[in-house]
């Protein structure tokens, strides 16, 4: 599983940056949207409930005004002194005056009843007295007032006292003129009592039910309001078919003190209700929760879409910027791939003041340096092979030569010439140490031994011997040095310095700082400045001979001073240095500064 995930993981730094950037934007965005959604849902819920309560308050105010208007008429009839006195006289059959006077009194009462509903909504006012007299503000052809006494609820009026009223709820319309357009009516009635509490008549006020539910038509879409009586029967509502029937959700909504969200039949409804103090009825507003938040949700959805679009715009911008920022890195990656394949000519060309620009500049510099180092190494190897070739050219078959020299030494010893035998032994030892060993490096004490044998042999060629003096720090004997590097210097001292005459050759080795100072000094004829400069040029430009540069004819090795310097620099690097000092008549000093490191010792 982990292996597959690693295979699917992006391998480009650009893709990693893009994915990381997307994650850094997406994760906070998702968390923000999640928190935003949680908070807005609660806010939407509170706002929907507040809207429902505000709508219900408006409806409650209008409905209450209509119902209070009916009570106002009833109260007016009951407490108005003129009407009350008149109705008492008529009910007790004590009305005074002739017929005309009575007619005019009755007419004034009817006009007064008509005036009660002239400004407001149409209301049907009926006053029935115990003696059978009745007064109303409508025509008898519309409705016969004595029929009011036949209503099933009429007997309930007798049990009322004081200012109590009886509300009938919704019932079929009795007025023939309005029956077809207004199928239901609502009536409030109250008994008229004497000071002795004896009933002398009744007053009833009726309005059409649609005067109530037309208030509900101004509500928002989806909001439904019903007016319920104490038993949960629908008094008024938008659907005429349900008026007079029990409210289906009466149990769920009954006792609800504040607006809330209820789950009814698997659907969520926003429910708010408010009671009417005058008669104990209540208004119930119901609305599907989805419809109640549709407007608010639309706003939030638009905000969400804007945020989503902003996210994608910023994401595209981020990808473009990341691609622009990582373009130099991609270029560097392609260049490194080309370098890995062996193309050292390619360059990135990436420049700038930032880290990537500096990296590109340093990478190109590194390639230039690598190219120079390869050229230097190739040149060094070529010079090394050239020096080794010169050494090989100076070698002869060691096995044959050793056998011959050993035979000669044995014959000389048999003839009683030990000095000549010793000379031949030294020659054999010299040759064995120089041409028969395969090591490129030997200890300094071995090199000193070789030089000692060489000087001994050279003294046999001369009439007068040269003296070899050694002043070597004991620690220096274990330093590894190139094989056969002192012999050319001693040979030059014998042939050119002392001119094969008596003299002293001093080999001195001391440690100073981190260098071994190895000196070859003679007290010969020395040389002038021009010859000294020529030798310096020879050491620096060994591949391109300078005028006057010649190696000593007939020298033992034929390698020359410049080859010694070249080999030393190959082994010890550029830290190796050689210094020549010479004056005519005082001799020559060759001083070599060999870097000393513990790792080159072999104890």
């Amino acid at each position: 599983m982990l292996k597959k995930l690693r295979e699917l993981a992006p391998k480009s730094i650009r893709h990693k940056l893009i994915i990381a950037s997307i994650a850094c934007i997406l994760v906070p965005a998702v968390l923000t949207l999640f928190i935003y959604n949680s908070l807005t849902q609660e806010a939407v819920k509170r706002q929907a409930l507040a809207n429902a309560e505000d709508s219900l308050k408006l409806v409650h105010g209008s409905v209450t005004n209509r119902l209070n208007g009916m009570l106002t008429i009833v109260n007016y009839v009951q407490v108005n002194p003129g009407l009350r006195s008149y109705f008492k006289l008529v009910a007790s059959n004590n009305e005074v005056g002739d017929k005309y006077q009575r007619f005019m009194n009755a007419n004034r009462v009817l006009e007064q009843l008509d005036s009660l509903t002239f400004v407001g909504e149409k209301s049907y006012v009926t006053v029935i007295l115990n003696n059978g007299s009745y007064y109303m503000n409508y025509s008898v052809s519309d409705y016969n007032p004595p029929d009011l006494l036949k209503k099933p609820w009429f007997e309930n009026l007798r049990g009322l006292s004081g200012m109590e009223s009886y509300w009938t709820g919704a019932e079929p319309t009795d007025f023939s003129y309005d029956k077809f357009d207004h199928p239901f009516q609502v009536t409030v009635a109250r008994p008229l009592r004497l000071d002795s509490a004896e009933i002398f008549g009744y007053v009833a006020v009726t309005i059409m039910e649609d005067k109530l539910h037309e208030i509900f038509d101004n509500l928002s879409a989806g909001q439904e309001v019903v007016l319920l009586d104490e038993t949960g029967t629908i008094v008024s509502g938008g659907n005429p078919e349900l008026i007079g029937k029990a409210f289906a959700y009466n149990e769920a909504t009954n006792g609800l003190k504040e607006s809330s969200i209820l789950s009814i039949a698997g659907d969520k409804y926003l429910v708010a209700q408010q009671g009417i103090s005058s008669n104990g009825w209540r208004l119930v507003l119901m609305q599907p929760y989805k419809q109640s938040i549709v407007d608010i949700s639309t706003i939030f959805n638009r905000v969400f879409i804007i945020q989503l679009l902003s996210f994608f715009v910023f994401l595209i911008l981020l990808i473009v910027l990341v691609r622009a920022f990582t373009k130099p890195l991609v270029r560097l990656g392609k260049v490194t791939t080309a370098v890995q394949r062996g193309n050292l000519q390619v360059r990135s060309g990436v420049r700038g003041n930032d880290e990537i620009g500096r990296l590109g500049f340093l990478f190109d510099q590194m390639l230039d340096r690598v190219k120079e180092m390869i050229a230097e190494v190739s040149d060094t190897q070529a010079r090394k092979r050239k020096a080794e070739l010169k050494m090989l050219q100076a070698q002869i078959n060691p096995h044959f030569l050793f056998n011959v020299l050993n035979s000669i030494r044995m014959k000389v010893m048999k003839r009683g010439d030990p000095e000549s035998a010793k000379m031949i032994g030294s020659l054999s030892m010299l040759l064995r140490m120089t041409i028969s060993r395969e090591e490129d490096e030997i200890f300094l004490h071995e090199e000193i031994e070789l030089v000692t044998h060489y000087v001994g042999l050279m003294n046999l060629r001369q009439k007068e011997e040269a003296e070899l003096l050694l002043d070597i720090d004991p620690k220096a004997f274990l330093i590894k040095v190139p094989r056969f590097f002192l012999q050319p210097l001693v040979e030059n001292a014998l042939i050119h310095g002392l001119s094969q005459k008596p003299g002293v050759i001093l080999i001195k080795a001391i440690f100073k700082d981190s260098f071994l100072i190895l000196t070859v000094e003679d007290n010969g004829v020395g040389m002038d400045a021009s010859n000294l400069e020529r030798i310096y040029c020879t050491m620096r430009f060994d591949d391109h001979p300078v005028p006057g540069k010649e190696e000593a004819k007939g020298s033992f090795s034929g390698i020359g001073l410049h080859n010694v310097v070249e080999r030393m620099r190959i082994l010890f690097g550029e830290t190796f240095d050689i210094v020549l000092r010479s004056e005519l008549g005082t001799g020559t000093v060759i001083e070599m500064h060999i870097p000393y490191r513990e790792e080159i010792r072999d104890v």
Side-chain angles (χ1 to χ4, degrees):
M1 184 65 180
L2 292 175
K3 186 177 181 181
K4 291 183 178 180
L5 291 175
R6 291 192 188 99
E7 293 177 354
L8 294 175
K11 298 177 176 59
S12 170
I13 186 66
R14 172 181 290 177
H15 294 158
K16 290 180 181 178
L17 284 174
I18 292 176
I19 292 175
S21 301
I22 292 174
C24 291
I25 293 178
L26 190 60
V27 171
V30 171
L31 289 177
T32 302
L33 289 176
F34 178 77
I35 296 172
Y36 171 81
N37 185 51
S38 300
L39 295 177
T40 53
Q41 281 186 350
E42 186 64 28
V44 167
K45 177 181 177 181
R46 290 196 299 268
Q47 187 61 45
L49 292 174
N51 292 343
E53 291 176 355
D54 292 341
S55 298
L56 188 59
K57 285 180 181 179
L58 295 175
V59 173
H60 179 269
S62 299
V63 172
T64 301
N65 288 337
R66 295 278 174 93
L67 298 180
N68 287 341
M70 297 172 65
L71 284 178
T72 299
I73 295 175
V74 172
N75 292 335
Y76 183 83
V77 172
Q78 183 176 7
V79 300
N80 183 268
L83 292 178
R84 183 178 177 83
S85 299
Y86 176 75
F87 291 145
K88 284 182 179 181
L89 291 174
V90 175
S92 61
N93 296 318
N94 293 323
E95 187 178 6
V96 296
D98 53 15
K99 291 183 178 181
Y100 177 78
Q101 186 65 37
R102 294 179 181 181
F103 173 78
M104 292 301 295
N105 291 336
N107 191 51
R108 281 195 300 270
V109 170
L110 293 177
E111 289 178 354
Q112 197 167 2
L113 294 178
D114 283 334
S115 66
L116 294 176
T117 58
F118 181 78
V119 178
E121 297 293 336
K122 176 64 175 176
S123 299
Y124 297 92
V125 181
T126 306
V127 177
I128 301 177
L129 302 178
N130 288 343
N131 63 353
S133 301
Y134 52 83
Y135 302 88
M136 67 287 186
N137 60 349
Y138 53 86
S139 173
V140 178
S141 61
D142 286 340
Y143 181 67
N144 185 22
D147 291 340
L148 192 65
L149 302 175
K150 301 177 183 179
K151 292 288 184 179
W153 48 263
F154 192 82
E155 291 297 325
N156 295 329
L157 298 179
R158 302 182 186 276
L160 299 178
S161 61
M163 302 293 289
E164 291 182 343
S165 302
Y166 181 84
W167 296 84
T168 64
E171 56 184 355
T173 301
D174 294 324
F175 301 93
S176 58
Y177 181 78
D178 293 325
K179 185 176 295 187
F180 297 102
D181 296 330
H182 311 284
F184 296 97
Q185 65 183 25
V186 176
T187 302
V188 59
R190 182 186 298 171
L192 299 176
R193 297 180 181 273
L194 298 173
D195 294 337
S196 61
E198 182 182 355
I199 298 175
F200 67 87
Y202 303 91
V203 58
V205 178
T206 303
I207 63 171
M208 299 296 107
E209 177 273 333
D210 53 8
K211 297 299 180 181
L212 295 176
H213 79 243
E214 69 181 7
I215 300 173
F216 309 154
D217 295 338
N218 297 324
L219 295 173
S220 302
Q223 289 183 337
E224 294 183 2
V225 176
V226 292
L227 179 61
L228 306 179
D229 61 12
E230 301 92 334
T231 62
T233 303
I234 299 176
V235 177
S236 179
N239 188 354
E241 296 180 358
L242 299 179
I243 295 177
K245 297 181 181 179
F247 182 48
Y249 309 121
N250 184 55
E251 293 184 1
T253 59
N254 192 20
L256 194 66
K257 296 182 179 180
E258 58 183 11
S259 57
S260 61
I261 297 174
L262 301 179
S263 180
I264 301 175
D267 295 326
K268 286 185 176 182
Y269 286 87
L270 191 153
V271 179
Q273 71 174 7
Q274 195 166 2
I276 298 176
S277 58
S278 59
N279 54 12
W281 293 356
R282 56 192 173 103
L283 285 168
V284 178
L285 182 147
M286 294 187 65
Q287 184 180 15
Y289 183 67
K290 292 182 179 180
Q291 292 185 4
S292 66
I293 63 173
V294 63
D295 294 334
I296 305 174
S297 297
T298 301
I299 296 174
F300 288 127
N301 290 336
R302 289 176 181 175
V303 173
F304 173 76
I305 292 173
I306 292 173
Q307 287 183 335
L308 196 62
L309 291 176
S310 301
F311 168 74
F312 282 110
V313 169
F314 286 125
L315 180 62
I316 294 172
L317 180 61
L318 178 64
I319 292 174
V320 172
L321 291 177
V322 169
R323 288 180 62 88
F325 293 155
T326 56
K327 186 176 181 181
L329 286 177
V330 175
R331 172 65 181 166
L332 282 173
K334 292 180 180 178
V335 171
T336 54
T337 302
V339 171
Q340 183 185 20
R341 294 173 181 171
N343 184 5
L344 296 178
Q345 305 298 326
V346 66
R347 296 293 182 272
S348 68
V350 175
R351 298 293 182 270
N353 297 325
D354 56 4
E355 290 81 357
I356 298 177
R358 290 194 292 272
L359 177 63
F361 175 72
L362 295 176
F363 184 76
D364 290 347
Q365 273 193 338
M366 182 188 70
L367 290 179
D368 294 337
R369 181 58 182 158
V370 168
K371 188 176 179 183
E372 292 175 0
M373 292 178 65
I374 290 175
E376 290 177 4
V377 171
S378 300
D379 183 62
T380 301
Q381 292 297 327
R383 287 185 291 173
K384 185 177 180 180
R385 287 194 297 270
K386 185 177 180 180
E388 291 174 350
L389 181 60
K390 289 182 179 180
M391 289 186 64
L392 290 174
Q393 289 172 350
Q395 293 180 356
I396 60 176
N397 192 317
H399 183 71
F400 170 75
L401 185 59
F402 293 156
N403 289 338
V404 171
L405 289 175
N406 191 46
S407 298
I408 294 173
R409 187 177 68 83
M410 295 300 294
K411 287 183 179 182
V412 170
M413 289 185 65
K414 286 180 180 180
R415 292 178 181 179
D417 189 358
E419 186 175 351
S420 298
K422 180 180 178 181
M423 179 181 66
I424 294 172
S426 296
L427 177 61
S428 176
M429 180 63 68
L430 178 65
L431 293 176
R432 186 181 300 275
M433 292 179 67
T434 56
I435 65 177
S436 66
R437 298 182 63 168
E438 296 180 354
E439 296 93 338
D440 290 334
E441 301 176 19
I442 60 176
F443 292 110
L444 181 59
H445 71 83
E446 293 178 309
E447 182 71 10
I448 295 295
E449 185 180 358
L450 185 149
V451 170
T452 302
H453 286 295
Y454 173 71
V455 172
L457 289 173
M458 291 298 292
N459 282 335
L460 294 175
R461 294 176 55 189
Q462 302 178 163
K463 294 180 181 181
E464 297 177 288
E465 295 183 355
E467 183 181 3
L468 178 63
L469 299 179
L470 300 176
D471 183 10
I472 308 296
D473 189 322
K475 293 190 298 183
F477 284 120
L478 297 178
I479 299 297
K480 284 286 188 75
V481 294
R483 183 165 55 93
F484 203 58
F485 85 104
L486 282 178
Q487 184 275 333
L489 306 183
V490 174
E491 181 182 10
N492 287 335
L494 288 171
I495 297 175
H496 301 290
L498 300 177
S499 299
Q500 298 183 349
K501 294 179 181 181
V504 177
I505 299 174
L506 174 62
I507 299 178
K508 185 178 180 181
I510 62 172
F511 286 99
K512 185 177 181 181
D513 296 331
S514 59
F515 288 89
L516 172 65
I517 311 299
L518 187 62
T519 305
V520 179
E521 181 179 351
D522 66 74
N523 59 352
V525 297
M527 68 184 79
D528 57 16
S530 62
N531 285 330
L532 192 63
E533 180 65 25
R534 179 179 61 80
I535 293 175
Y536 267 116
C537 291
T538 301
M539 289 188 296
R540 288 195 295 266
F541 305 103
D542 60 290
D543 288 336
H544 305 283
V546 297
K549 174 185 173 182
E550 293 183 358
E551 294 179 358
K553 300 295 184 179
S555 65
F556 180 81
S557 67
I559 296 176
L561 179 61
H562 67 278
N563 198 21
V564 173
V565 174
E566 183 65 25
R567 293 177 65 203
M568 294 296 285
R569 284 179 176 166
I570 290 174
L571 178 60
F572 295 104
E574 295 299 326
T575 56
F576 168 79
D577 193 17
I578 184 169
V579 178
L580 276 71
R581 297 190 297 272
S582 181
E583 293 182 4
L584 288 174
T586 62
T588 302
V589 178
I590 301 175
E591 185 178 283
M592 291 180 288
H593 295 247
I594 302 172
Y596 171 71
R597 302 184 303 274
E598 290 293 333
E599 60 267 19
I600 64 176
R601 295 184 54 191
D602 190 3
V603 278

